[in-house]
Amino acid sequence: MSTCGFVGLCRACGCPDGGDESVDFACEVSLQALCPPLDTSPHIARDFVATVLRTLELDDTLVDDAILCTSELVTNACVHAKGDSTVLWLAVEEGRLRVVVYDGDENPPVMRELTTETWEQGGGRGLCLVDAVTEGRWGHGPDIPYGGHEHPHPEGKAVWFDLPVDPHPPVRLPAAP
């Protein structure tokens, strides 16, 4: 575990463990969390994303949009994908927030057509919401983005979305407890 309290890669201005360095959006902030296939995982993923983005003092609308899209992707992974766990990867770069949800199922996500019947049945609206909120900036593939590079994985897929981020002055990340 890094000193900033997050699992996985955490870089802020070159500090390999995040620490209490100042975050400038010319630098990448990249964090990762493990989401086991449990009913509570979408909630935990939402809290994770909200905490990170609010700590970075990003716009409330951006935070709300990211929480909604993250929840939909993690829910899909927990409900539909096979495998022991899902990995949530979040990166904030100059001009962009990218969230990737990796699961162990090679089957691509399917965006269902919304009809009155499917709407009333419940479920099946998640990718339509992601598509609308991100204005089509989402996708999937067999690679796991990690540390700014794509790494092929023998089984599974990565489903991602991007949201635009307006740069603002640097903020301080809190020190680990």
Side-chain angles (χ1 to χ4, degrees):
M1 181 166 306
S2 66
T3 58
C4 67
F6 294 106
V7 176
L9 177 67
C10 177
R11 291 181 295 148
C13 298
C15 175
D17 292 326
D20 61 355
E21 295 288 322
S22 198
V23 176
D24 180 338
F25 282 101
C27 299
E28 179 183 311
V29 173
S30 178
L31 304 167
Q32 182 177 315
L34 186 64
C35 302
L38 301 171
D39 292 343
T40 56
S41 285
H43 177 77
I44 293 167
R46 287 190 300 269
D47 286 351
F48 172 77
V49 169
T51 299
V52 170
L53 299 183
R54 286 186 178 125
T55 298
L56 295 172
E57 298 179 356
L58 296 179
D59 178 74
D60 287 340
T61 301
L62 171 70
V63 174
D64 291 343
D65 289 348
I67 291 168
L68 173 63
C69 293
T70 298
S71 182
E72 295 301 335
L73 295 188
V74 172
T75 298
N76 283 352
C78 289
V79 171
H80 301 294
K82 58 187 175 190
D84 295 334
S85 63
T86 298
V87 175
L88 170 66
W89 179 74
L90 176 149
V92 180
E93 303 168 320
E94 186 171 345
R96 174 179 85 172
L97 161 68
R98 173 163 282 186
V99 174
V100 181
V101 175
Y102 172 80
D103 64 54
D105 191 336
E106 295 175 352
N107 294 313
V110 176
M111 187 163 54
R112 296 183 189 170
E113 182 179 344
L114 287 182
T115 65
T116 304
E117 264 183 48
T118 59
W119 187 266
E120 290 173 356
Q121 291 172 353
R125 299 183 288 258
L127 289 178
C128 290
L129 286 169
V130 171
D131 188 60
V133 169
T134 66
E135 298 177 355
R137 291 183 301 264
W138 71 278
H140 63 89
D143 297 331
I144 305 170
Y146 189 76
H149 305 285
E150 302 291 326
H151 297 280
H153 193 277
E155 43 188 66
K157 68 179 172 299
V159 183
W160 58 270
F161 68 84
D162 288 341
L163 291 169
V165 173
D166 290 327
H168 59 64
V171 296
R172 306 262 317 151
L173 285 177

